[in-house]
Amino acid sequence: MKTILGISAFYHDSAATILIDGKIIAAAQEERFTRIKHDSDYPFNAIEFVLNFSKIKLSEVDQIIFFEKPFLKFERLLETYVAFAPRGFRSFCMAMPIWLKDKLFQKKMLINELKKHDNNFNDDKKIYFSDHHLSHAASAFFPSPFEEAIVLTADGVGEWATTTVAIGKGNNLEIKKEIHFPHSLGLLYSAFTYYTGFKVNSGEYKLMGLAPYGTPIYEDKIKDSLIDIKEDGSFHLDQSYFNYATGFTMTNDKFDNLFGQKVRDAKHEKLTQFHMDIAASIQKVTEDTMITIAKSLKEEFNIPNLCLAGGVALNCVANGKILKEKIFDNIWIQPAAGDAGGSLGAALALWYIEQNNPRTVDHNDSMQGSYLGPEYSQKEIEEQLDKAGAKYEIFKDQELLEKTASDLSNEEAIGWFQGRMEFGPRALGGRSILGDPRSEKMQKNLNLKVKYRESFRPFAPSILKEDLSEWFDLNVDSPYMLMVSSINKDKTIEMTEDQKNLFGIDKLNIKRSKIPAVTHVDYSARIQTVHKETNERYFRLIEKFKEKTNCPILVNTSFNVRGEPIVNTPIDAFNCFMGTDLDKLVIGNCYLDKKDQNPLLKKDYTKEFELD
Amino acid sequence: MDFLKEFWEFLKVRKKYWLLPILLFLVLFGGLIVLTQGSAIAPFIYTIF
């Protein structure tokens, strides 16, 4: 038995993954344990979890691999400062102490931290370092259902690379070309995230959600001034508009002048049509760039399969557009496409590329639905709920599903906590908040009373795989909620001329389809197909809901409030349940009704987590 | 010592010996900055981390 522990840390989204004989056994993000969103610290808890889950001690692990190379990153920093000097002196003075004190010595730091798991661990020769984008590429290719594929990774920045193209074949993966910092599609998108007043590294989703409210009127301006996209999809950013290479902000005054407004101050300024148009424009440019790259790669390598990873691959709208262009026959996207997935990719790269172990392709993919995190037995759930003072009933499976489906059809908001936690940023029916997509008030209710988040943000549908084509213009599986597609015409409700003229967010309140809670203003939806093979209980629940309502769809949003990491333990779930307007909570076979709970246990949850 | 050995190996592989004087300068004079500053985490530096 050969064991590999993969670690990603010290940037954002720390995580750990364990492989045994090449099989993914467990993976989790540190934020779920520490309750600090995007926690970047050493993932002590995540490592403890993956070790305990696999029932092995750290000293028994054969190799440990870190997802990137700190020296290479340091090289990039120094060269960048030299290239931009004397600009960036303040940033240099701030960054160097951190590097000289901690970051250059990450190997030593890792060894010291690792020893805390197991005193017997003392072999530093077991520690390896992967390359940031190779880790992403490996996480996209090796678990994919393809024998051969083009692998495209794009994110903010790794060591030097911001975009890479690799070819995966069998158990090998070779990087063919790269685009280097400071030219980065991820950082361009983040620059606009910053400009529209959202938080970099977490607000990119909001910008994407805002885009359909606007018109891409600044597309030409962006293409003419900020990004030069070549025929093959490679690109060059004009650095005179940006400040991220050496400064403390993403953009500068020249950027503001280009668009005519200052950076939005989220605390004091509301979102306006200007910001929506900006969002629509950068979204369009991102889509165009990705499509150009994809077309050129197909032409160059003539391989029918595409794998995607890196933060940009979480832009599910762009993914949907690539799919719609029919450039590739098949597309597979790593569900933990961000840096957390680097822990998985690094471990897989070591197992297959370095150690040359044979690879057997799983035609469904080998991510096991991404349900790779902790799980709790019925006994553990009851113990935790008792300790928290919760009042609950226990039902057998059939009755539980019947009751939950019935509550959902009565427009109640349900906390749904079942089986293993998801690995990656999306909740996929393991730690989810569920609702009735037919309800006209559900979208507003969930956004404002349950999730405490901005009212413009859309929700995603979970749909039984068999019913997909009846409801959506999509003919491939999307088990990880990474594809956006349109609702079929016969399910939509045309807006009147008056309604079409409504301003931005007001449009969202118009009933635009038979499933308004998951229909965005442009009639699109971020789809999750639910499969019996990977999450039977969730599948059965939707089946039950369909029996009652003739609708094979549920609203599925992550089980958390704005700024909070997705719940991990039954206690986290109970706290979130008591801090929000959720009506019911279903954990394992326990069924909790808000009305039965001790009102003294209610919390003011709005201040528990810093808004992102 | 291990660190210096590894960093030297790194410079050899990357053939970027010109980084060495910068690093030496930083280690010699930067020590002062390190000593006078706690683990300062800049509030908003996207790429340096």
Side-chain angles (χ1 to χ4, degrees), chain A residues 80-149:
Chain A
T80 304
Y81 284 124
V82 170
F84 281 81
R87 259 173 70 191
F89 184 70
R90 271 186 61 217
S91 159
F92 176 82
C93 292
M94 209 131 173
M96 283 307 119
I98 300 166
W99 274 88
L100 293 175
K101 208 172 164 188
D102 293 324
K103 288 186 170 275
L104 267 180
F105 306 97
Q106 272 177 40
K107 188 172 180 184
K108 196 168 160 252
M109 197 153 82
L110 270 177
I111 294 167
N112 291 341
E113 293 289 343
L114 284 164
K115 278 182 181 162
K116 293 180 187 167
H117 297 276
D118 184 349
N119 284 332
N120 295 324
F121 173 79
N122 57 6
D123 190 356
D124 65 353
K125 288 194 174 57
K126 281 183 178 177
I127 300 177
Y128 294 76
F129 289 83
S130 177
D131 180 281
H132 190 101
H133 273 260
L134 181 69
S135 299
H136 277 319
S139 77
F141 175 63
F142 292 121
S144 78
F146 309 136
E147 175 61 31
E148 187 181 23

Side-chain angles (χ1 to χ4, degrees), chain A residues 421-480:
Chain A
M421 185 177 71
E422 301 86 345
F423 181 52
R426 306 272 71 85
L428 302 167
R431 306 283 184 277
S432 291
I433 289 172
L434 307 177
D436 183 346
R438 302 166 308 150
S439 163
E440 284 181 58
K441 62 174 190 182
M442 189 57 69
Q443 206 259 0
K444 213 169 185 180
N445 182 31
L446 285 181
N447 261 337
L448 300 178
K449 291 187 176 170
V450 178
K451 306 266 296 185
Y452 303 127
R453 64 182 206 178
E454 301 91 332
S455 58
F456 70 84
R457 295 177 66 186
F459 286 106
S462 287
I463 180 166
L464 296 178
K465 185 198 162 188
E466 303 58 287
D467 294 301
L468 180 65
S469 54
E470 199 201 317
W471 286 80
F472 297 101
D473 180 24
L474 186 69
N475 55 7
V476 297
D477 294 349
S478 175
Y480 306 118

Side-chain angles (χ1 to χ4, degrees), chain A residues 357-378:
Chain A
N357 287 300
R359 169 173 175 251
T360 314
V361 176
D362 181 330
H363 290 286
N364 287 317
D365 84 39
S366 55
M367 285 299 290
Q368 302 150 57
S370 211
Y371 304 106
L372 298 165
E375 66 181 339
Y376 296 86
S377 66
Q378 180 62 21

Side-chain angles (χ1 to χ4, degrees), chain A residues 279-297:
Chain A
S281 306
I282 184 59
Q283 180 62 33
K284 177 79 173 36
V285 172
T286 305
E287 288 161 13
D288 286 356
T289 313
M290 290 296 278
I291 288 168
T292 312
I293 296 174
K295 278 184 179 161
S296 139
L297 293 179

Side-chain angles (χ1 to χ4, degrees), chain A residues 429-588:
Chain A
R431 306 283 184 277
S432 291
I433 289 172
L434 307 177
D436 183 346
R438 302 166 308 150
S439 163
E440 284 181 58
K441 62 174 190 182
M442 189 57 69
Q443 206 259 0
K444 213 169 185 180
N445 182 31
L446 285 181
N447 261 337
L448 300 178
K449 291 187 176 170
V450 178
K451 306 266 296 185
Y452 303 127
R453 64 182 206 178
E454 301 91 332
S455 58
F456 70 84
R457 295 177 66 186
F459 286 106
S462 287
I463 180 166
L464 296 178
K465 185 198 162 188
E466 303 58 287
D467 294 301
L468 180 65
S469 54
E470 199 201 317
W471 286 80
F472 297 101
D473 180 24
L474 186 69
N475 55 7
V476 297
D477 294 349
S478 175
Y480 306 118
M481 218 184 254
L482 285 167
M483 286 289 179
V484 165
S485 189
S486 305
I487 292 174
N488 282 342
K489 269 264 181 276
D490 61 325
K491 307 287 183 196
T492 60
I493 299 166
E494 266 300 310
M495 282 192 274
T496 62
E497 280 309 309
D498 284 350
Q499 287 172 337
K500 276 183 194 166
N501 291 331
L502 279 173
F503 170 73
I505 289 161
D506 291 335
K507 272 188 196 165
L508 198 63
N509 299 324
I510 309 295
K511 188 175 177 184
R512 279 156 292 109
S513 79
K514 291 182 179 172
I515 42 173
V518 291
T519 308
H520 209 348
V521 287
D522 59 351
Y523 296 97
S524 70
R526 175 159 50 96
I527 298 158
Q528 180 201 2
T529 52
V530 180
H531 306 250
K532 202 164 143 190
E533 301 76 26
T534 48
N535 193 341
E536 194 175 347
R537 187 170 265 206
Y538 190 38
F539 185 89
R540 295 266 177 245
L541 175 69
I542 306 177
E543 258 188 347
K544 214 20 122 200
F545 183 75
K546 185 186 170 187
E547 264 175 44
K548 289 182 184 300
T549 63
N550 208 22
C551 172
I553 302 168
L554 287 178
V555 180
N556 176 10
T557 181
S558 51
F559 198 155
N560 59 349
V561 297
R562 182 179 165 195
E564 180 191 16
I566 296 176
V567 299
N568 175 21
T569 65
I571 290 275
D572 296 338
F574 181 69
N575 287 338
C576 188
F577 173 61
M578 293 305 289
T580 60
D581 272 2
L582 278 172
D583 300 298
K584 305 278 162 58
L585 173 59
V586 185
I587 310 190

